[in-house]
Amino acid sequence: MSYQLYRNTTLGQSLQETLEELIQTQQIDPDLALIVLLQFDKTINSALANRLRTRMSFKGHLRTYRFCDSVWTLIVENAEFRETGSDTHSFKVDKLKVVACDGKTSGLECKEL
Amino acid sequence: MAGAGKESTPAGLYHYVINDVIRSIRQSFLNRGVDEQVLQELKSQWELKIVQSRSVKEFVAEDQRTASASNVMYPHGNRFPIDALSQVNNTRHSKGTFSVYIFTSQTKCLLNNASEFPSYSASTGAKSAKLEDDEPLNTDDDASDEDDIDSFECDNVIVCQYDKVTRARSKWKLHLKDGIMNIGGNDYVFNKASGDCDWA
């Protein structure tokens, strides 16, 4: 199963805007655009899992949270990030939203969710 | 091996994803008789929009035609409405819908400056003091209502998956993976992230 939540990132939104333009100028049809989006879901899910080594840690104050349909949404305030690795650098964020899907069901076995 | 290191940056990862998607969908385009040129247009426009978002500093479009767009400078590296950018460039991107990003930290800053404007407070000071005496208003109610509505609104976002979210008393531990973050208009990516949060 490939999550669609990465469509809501810089990379995903740029793709969606491009596809909308190509549909509007009738260079592709919506069916083909959907095929592209589904391929994007597949590629980004596997790329994040397999092609990255970056590790981060952060501390902060949990302001509010929500757990709905297996999705966590958390608001963290005064978060301090650290990238663990060779070139360690840190940065602070006054308010941060975390949207997280269940990492355990993203395997090959597609559960009815 | 050098390539594997490069993909630890958002720019490297994004180039990999774009190239992999374009490669994987080529056959679908061919099957439907869509011209190869449309596929290249998709790739170059996708790259151009990432450059215009200014979320990834090191990201340079592989297509050299987009070089002029990256020369447009905006203060603080923040994201600006993409349609506004198109007007500046006066290029072919006149159609489509676009997102507008407004950073609340800057808005607050502007509001603070406005309240410090001397003539404003001098002229209204006497009037507002008199009003408070006549009919005291409970402004605290309004403030808390707005706070509830806005509590899940945030410009800094992590989109990711969780391995575990655990709590012991007021200490929360978040074990996250496969994340893309947009913090202060800049993108970051991670394979694993752990968060320690206190709840009070």
Side-chain angles (χ1 to χ4, degrees):
Chain A
M1 189 170 106
S2 294
Y3 282 119
Q4 296 184 0
L5 83 162
Y6 299 110
R7 293 181 189 185
N8 195 25
T9 60
T10 307
L11 192 60
Q13 280 173 347
S14 302
L15 174 61
Q16 291 188 79
E17 286 164 11
T18 304
L19 291 171
E20 279 165 25
E21 285 175 11
L22 291 176
I23 291 169
Q24 277 176 13
T25 53
Q26 297 181 337
Q27 291 178 279
I28 60 169
D29 58 32
D31 285 354
L32 191 54
L34 187 63
I35 290 172
V36 178
L37 274 181
L38 291 172
Q39 180 59 50
F40 169 75
D41 295 338
K42 239 186 249 178
T43 300
I44 189 71
N45 275 272
S46 116
L48 286 168
N50 303 317
R51 302 193 74 89
L52 285 180
R53 289 170 302 168
T54 322
R55 281 167 186 270
M56 298 266 209
S57 66
F58 64 91
K59 285 177 200 260
H61 172 69
L62 182 61
R63 167 76 192 278
T64 182
Y65 63 89
R66 178 166 67 194
F67 183 67
C68 185
D69 293 333
S70 300
V71 178
W72 278 102
T73 308
L74 308 112
I75 298 290
V76 179
E77 287 178 338
N78 299 317
E80 189 174 352
F81 277 86
R82 245 171 239 287
E83 190 176 329
T84 51
S86 50
D87 56 337
T88 306
H89 68 277
S90 64
F91 53 91
K92 287 184 179 178
V93 189
D94 57 347
K95 192 180 175 192
L96 167 77
K97 178 156 88 172
V98 179
V99 181
C101 285
D102 190 348
K104 280 177 243 83
T105 59
S106 66
L108 287 173
E109 303 88 21
C110 182
K111 299 258 168 67
E112 282 179 39
L113 272 174
Chain B
M1 278 295 117
K6 204 179 167 189
E7 282 160 24
S8 289
T9 67
L13 184 85
Y14 289 5
H15 278 303
Y16 168 79
V17 169
I18 291 170
N19 287 325
D20 189 71
V21 168
I22 296 295
R23 188 170 52 238
S24 305
I25 58 174
R26 177 166 278 121
Q27 196 56 49
S28 299
F29 272 59
L30 287 175
N31 290 348
R32 286 156 181 262
V34 178
D35 201 278
E36 169 77 18
Q37 203 194 324
V38 177
L39 195 63
Q40 292 310 317
E41 169 93 0
L42 169 59
K43 184 181 184 227
S44 64
Q45 287 300 308
W46 190 2
E47 289 176 335
L48 181 67
K49 285 180 201 308
I50 293 167
V51 172
Q52 286 174 339
S53 78
R54 302 188 61 80
S55 301
V56 194
K57 287 192 185 72
E58 325 87 86
F59 188 89
V60 179
E62 288 179 355
D63 187 340
Q64 289 301 308
R65 280 177 300 174
T66 56
S68 63
S70 61
N71 291 334
V72 181
M73 296 298 289
Y74 285 110
H76 314 305
N78 281 347
R79 291 200 277 185
F80 274 73
I82 293 167
D83 51 355
L85 191 66
S86 301
Q87 281 165 18
V88 173
N89 280 336
N90 195 25
T91 51
R92 51 204 151 132
H93 323 295
S94 54
K95 288 178 184 170
T97 53
F98 302 95
S99 305
V100 178
Y101 298 90
I102 297 167
F103 284 77
T104 48
S105 57
Q106 284 201 340
T107 315
K108 269 181 206 158
C109 186
L110 286 171
L111 289 173
N112 287 343
N113 289 342
S115 65
E116 281 164 23
F117 209 65
S119 63
Y120 178 81
S121 53
S123 60
T124 55
K127 251 187 185 174
S128 60
K130 202 177 178 184
L131 230 150
E132 270 176 49
D133 286 343
D134 291 346
E135 36 182 321
L137 298 170
N138 194 350
T139 49
D140 287 349
D141 288 352
D142 296 344
S144 65
D145 278 355
E146 278 176 28
D147 201 44
D148 284 345
I149 294 161
D150 294 343
S151 60
F152 278 102
E153 288 295 314
C154 190
D155 288 320
N156 303 310
V157 180
I158 302 183
V159 173
C160 61
Q161 296 172 42
Y162 60 86
D163 277 327
K164 263 192 307 192
V165 176
T166 56
R167 181 185 71 87
R169 293 186 186 171
S170 66
K171 302 280 180 200
W172 286 65
K173 268 192 176 292
L174 318 175
H175 298 268
L176 310 173
K177 65 176 187 181
D178 304 353
I180 301 179
M181 334 200 286
N182 186 276
I183 307 284
N186 295 308
D187 277 9
Y188 303 86
V189 292
F190 62 78
N191 180 242
K192 293 236 188 268
S194 62
D196 289 290
C197 299
D198 63 297
W199 166 268

